[in-house]
Amino acid sequence: MKLAKPRTSAPTEGRNSWEPELLNESYKEDGKRSIWVDYCSNSTIHGFKYLVGNKRSTIERIWWVIVCLLSLYGCGSLIHSVYRKWDREPVVVTFAEKPAPVFTIPFPAVTICPETKVRKKDLDFTTAYQLFNDEELWQFMADEQLAKLEALLQVCDFSFGMEMNNESYADDVVEYLQRMAIPFEDIFLLCGWREQVVDCKDFFKQTLTEAGICYTFNSLSADDLMRRDQLHEEYEYMAENESAKLWNMDEGYSGGAGEQTYPRRAFGAGRRAGIFVILKVQKYDMDYLCGGFKVHLHSPVQYPRMLNQFFRIPLSQEVSVSIDPILFDTAPNVRRYNPQRRLCYYNHERYLRYFKVYSKFNCDIECLSNYTLKTCGCVPFPLPRTKDERICGLGKASCTDEALSVLEEMDLLHELNKTDNFLEHCNCLPACNAIFYNTEISQAMFDWRKLAENIHVIAGVTNETELSYLSIHFKVSRFIPIKRSELFGISDFLANCGGVLGLFMGVSILSIVEIVYYCTLKPIMARKRANARPETANVIKPALILPPKEFGAAVGPRPRNASNKW
């Protein structure tokens, strides 16, 4: 009895019926696979597994190569854009989250310049100028009178005297200005600070500016602000000698700073928490070609410049100045950036030759001094200079004015390719921590004569005196600082790059580890295994063994007797 054969499905053409079904077709390839094929077969990056496999047609492989290349190009372009943003704009300037009280910042430094520079008994400026312009009478003027007139022409607002002579240098101009200056007690009548009457001499110290002899309140001392070893010794720029031991611009006030710390600070808003000054001028000393008062508010770390930033106090007027402070604060995480990336300097990062404290204003003053010396061969008397550099006289006035104008327009001229940008050599970036004081000024008549009838403090003035009243105070007790913080840090850069790579390629950290593994560890281990394997024995090919010839040739297969035992 014959058993029926089991029915089997017909084997697929070209396929072994015993070959297991595998999910990844690349495993069906014969022989050893290369590292590239092994990587593409097992990579977690999308699309790479379609680049290998014996079942892929040429068109399919070309299609996936193009898709992968486009994805890589898109990733590269977007990551490059993210990198440029991170490299060029890592810092953003915004308002701080919380307001700060005004006692965390110093009260502004106040520089007051009387425009009446000399008493009439020493020199009648208007008469002397008219006499000098007379072609017949000017030669009869005394040398001392001419020297005083030329010194005053350098500090008066009217610049009509710049072509009066051809003197290139005026090394004694400061000496004449100091000798002719109005005495302190003939300028300041009464001062008050935080609702208490104080001695004006203790609060206002002499300062030299382009407006001549001025007086400054609440500025850093000369030893804290300037490098005296680099300056000449002919005259002092500042007479302030009180040192700021518990405050600096980068760190602010220390924890031990009390009410009487220096620089002085206010503890609230309004006139009761500020400063007031009553200024006086004698009518017989007034000169209408050069008279009045100028006031400049600035940071304590800034050397005063009266050229543009000032306001006037008219005679017999009451001027009230309300201050709205602007504080630029830089977050600690921005400090690690290069100054050219964050676009600001900390005090220790930028060395100035003449100043110990860095600010953009101090840097600009030093830049102007260097540029004027380079252009004119001398330096105006209010600008810092060394002992080897001379002071520009009236004959150099047009040169110094032109140097100032060119320096102010340097950026525009550089854009037009007309000149070398000297400002780039100055490199005067803003300070990372700085204070500015915006002002709101109100003005009214000051009828001091009615007031003098009731208040004995000003009873000593006469009808030949003109008084002016100045009050300076904070507008609000709290203000919102402006904060320079990190816009795009390393974590943000990595997150953006990871998002782009994940969107286009499905790449993660482990995908990058895979690439490193297949480029380093995988080839090394494969090489070690190959070197450790013993030599393979020679393979003996099978052969048909025939019986000896003496036994005769084989006729055919020997029949086998089969017996059925049923």
Side-chain angles (χ1 to χ4, degrees):
M1 179 178 179
K2 295 183 179 180
L3 297 175
K5 290 184 178 181
R7 299 183 61 185
T8 59
S9 57
T12 306
E13 184 179 356
R15 173 180 169 185
N16 187 354
S17 59
W18 296 102
E19 183 178 354
E21 292 287 345
L22 297 178
L23 295 177
N24 198 326
E25 296 179 359
S26 62
Y27 280 99
K28 302 174 187 179
E29 296 188 4
D30 298 329
K32 294 177 61 178
R33 292 180 300 167
S34 65
I35 294 180
W36 166 250
V37 174
D38 193 13
Y39 170 72
C40 291
S41 303
N42 299 280
S43 175
T44 57
I45 300 179
H46 298 340
F48 274 37
K49 66 179 180 180
Y50 299 109
L51 302 179
V52 296
N54 57 1
K55 293 303 180 85
R56 306 291 176 205
S57 64
T58 304
I59 296 178
E60 287 179 303
R61 295 191 183 189
I62 293 175
W63 163 260
W64 283 109
V65 167
I66 294 174
V67 170
C68 290
L69 291 177
L70 289 177
S71 296
L72 288 173
Y73 175 77
C75 283
S77 299
L78 291 179
I79 290 176
H80 181 258
S81 176
V82 171
Y83 174 77
R84 286 171 61 89
K85 182 179 180 181
W86 176 61
D87 183 63
R88 295 187 177 186
E89 302 173 1
V91 177
V92 63
V93 178
T94 58
F95 287 104
E97 296 83 5
K98 298 180 180 179
V102 293
F103 61 76
T104 59
I105 62 174
F107 198 81
V110 182
T111 299
I112 300 177
C113 298
E115 294 192 71
T116 301
K117 311 296 181 183
V118 61
R119 286 177 167 176
K120 280 287 182 70
K121 65 179 182 180
D122 293 332
L123 179 69
D124 189 333
F125 178 78
T126 303
T127 303
Y129 174 72
Q130 293 174 348
L131 186 64
F132 188 87
N133 282 337
D134 193 306
E135 296 181 356
E136 297 180 357
L137 299 178
W138 75 270
Q139 54 188 338
F140 297 103
M141 296 180 65
D143 293 340
E144 182 77 6
Q145 189 179 19
L146 283 173
K148 291 181 178 179
L149 178 61
E150 292 170 2
L152 287 177
L153 285 172
Q154 293 209 45
V155 295
C156 186
D157 277 349
F158 296 92
S159 300
F160 39 66
M162 64 174 58
E163 297 180 357
M164 286 182 58
N165 60 27
N166 294 322
E167 290 291 333
S168 299
Y169 307 104
D171 296 326
D172 55 354
V173 60
V174 178
E175 179 184 354
Y176 276 103
L177 290 175
Q178 290 175 339
R179 284 166 48 189
M180 293 186 295
I182 304 292
F184 184 90
E185 56 272 10
D186 289 344
I187 298 174
F188 293 88
L189 178 64
L190 185 66
C191 299
W193 168 243
R194 288 183 357 206
E195 217 178 11
Q196 294 183 0
V197 177
V198 296
D199 188 354
C200 295
K201 286 188 176 181
D202 294 337
F203 277 67
F204 286 89
K205 304 296 182 180
Q206 190 178 107
T207 304
L208 186 65
T209 72
E210 60 270 20
I213 305 300
C214 303
Y215 300 91
T216 302
F217 159 79
N218 211 39
S219 175
L220 292 186
S221 66
D223 291 331
D224 291 342
L225 183 60
M226 310 190 78
R227 303 184 188 274
R228 295 198 176 203
D229 56 331
Q230 298 291 333
L231 299 171
H232 61 87
E233 299 178 354
E234 299 172 15
Y235 52 83
E236 295 287 343
Y237 289 92
M238 305 174 65
E240 181 61 66
N241 55 9
E242 190 165 357
S243 179
K245 298 179 180 179
L246 301 177
W247 178 86
N248 63 71
M249 191 66 254
D250 287 339
E251 305 296 334
Y253 287 100
S254 64
E259 292 186 7
Q260 305 302 323
T261 188
Y262 194 86
R264 300 176 179 91
R265 52 180 175 172
F267 289 88
R271 301 176 68 170
R272 297 166 59 90
I275 186 174
F276 73 86
V277 183
I278 299 179
L279 305 169
K280 66 178 181 178
V281 175
Q282 300 298 334
K283 288 183 179 180
Y284 48 79
D285 287 333
M286 292 174 57
D287 198 310
Y288 292 97
L289 285 182
C290 201
F293 291 97
K294 289 181 179 179
V295 180
H296 174 37
L297 303 185
H298 54 94
S299 170
V301 300
Q302 174 188 339
Y303 190 81
R305 287 273 292 166
M306 305 296 297
L307 190 63
N308 296 320
Q309 300 177 356
F310 69 89
F311 59 89
R312 294 182 181 273
I313 304 178
L315 300 179
S316 298
Q317 294 284 317
E318 177 182 353
V319 177
S320 179
V321 182
S322 179
I323 303 172
D324 190 8
I326 300 176
L327 173 64
F328 279 88
D329 188 19
T330 302
N333 57 3
V334 180
R335 187 185 290 266
R336 66 175 181 267
Y337 287 102
N338 184 280
Q340 302 302 325
R341 294 184 64 192
R342 62 171 125 90
L343 300 179
C344 69
Y345 280 119
Y346 286 96
N347 186 49
H348 66 278
E349 293 178 329
R350 180 72 166 87
Y351 175 85
L352 295 179
R353 182 181 183 184
Y354 300 119
F355 296 96
K356 291 182 179 179
V357 181
Y358 178 83
S359 71
K360 188 178 186 307
F361 295 98
N362 296 342
C363 184
D364 289 338
I365 292 174
E366 188 166 305
C367 181
L368 177 61
S369 177
N370 295 333
Y371 186 73
T372 306
L373 177 65
K374 176 183 176 181
T375 305
C376 305
C378 57
V379 179
F381 72 90
L383 299 180
R385 61 183 179 88
T386 64
K387 61 181 180 180
D388 299 326
E389 298 165 1
R390 303 193 64 182
I391 300 175
C392 296
L394 289 178
K396 292 284 188 177
S398 58
C399 180
T400 57
D401 289 343
E402 183 179 358
L404 176 61
S405 300
V406 170
L407 199 62
E408 290 176 345
E409 301 171 359
M410 188 70 73
D411 287 334
L412 176 61
L413 295 176
H414 180 65
E415 291 286 338
L416 300 176
N417 295 323
K418 292 184 178 180
T419 182
D420 179 35
N421 195 350
F422 189 83
L423 291 176
E424 293 183 354
H425 302 290
C426 297
N427 195 21
C428 292
L429 294 176
C432 291
N433 298 300
I435 305 175
F436 303 94
Y437 301 93
N438 284 341
T439 59
E440 294 181 5
I441 302 175
S442 60
Q443 183 175 323
M445 290 296 298
F446 181 46
D447 194 354
W448 63 269
R449 289 179 174 84
K450 291 288 185 181
L451 188 64
E453 296 175 359
N454 302 314
I455 302 179
H456 69 280
V457 175
I458 57 176
V461 297
T462 65
N463 290 330
E464 296 297 320
T465 306
E466 289 291 343
L467 300 183
S468 300
Y469 182 88
L470 172 65
S471 173
I472 303 174
H473 56 272
F474 282 116
K475 182 180 179 181
V476 293
S477 60
R478 291 180 176 269
F479 66 98
I480 300 179
I482 296 177
K483 188 176 182 180
R484 187 182 282 106
S485 56
E486 189 178 50
L487 171 65
F488 208 69
I490 296 178
S491 59
D492 300 307
F493 173 71
L494 293 177
N496 277 270
C497 292
V500 171
L501 289 170
L503 176 65
F504 280 85
M505 305 290 296
V507 174
S508 65
I509 294 294
L510 291 180
S511 302
I512 299 175
V513 173
E514 282 181 354
I515 297 175
V516 175
Y517 166 73
Y518 275 95
C519 291
T520 57
L521 189 58
K522 180 76 172 179
I524 294 174
M525 298 305 296
R527 192 176 299 110
K528 286 185 177 181
R529 285 195 297 266
N531 295 334
R533 186 182 301 125
E535 292 187 6
T536 305
N538 294 330
V539 179
I540 301 175
K541 295 182 179 181
L544 179 63
I545 301 176
L546 299 177
K549 293 182 179 179
E550 54 268 21
F551 289 96
V555 178
R558 184 178 298 172
R560 182 177 181 182
N561 298 324
S563 60
N564 293 330
K565 299 179 181 181
W566 295 96

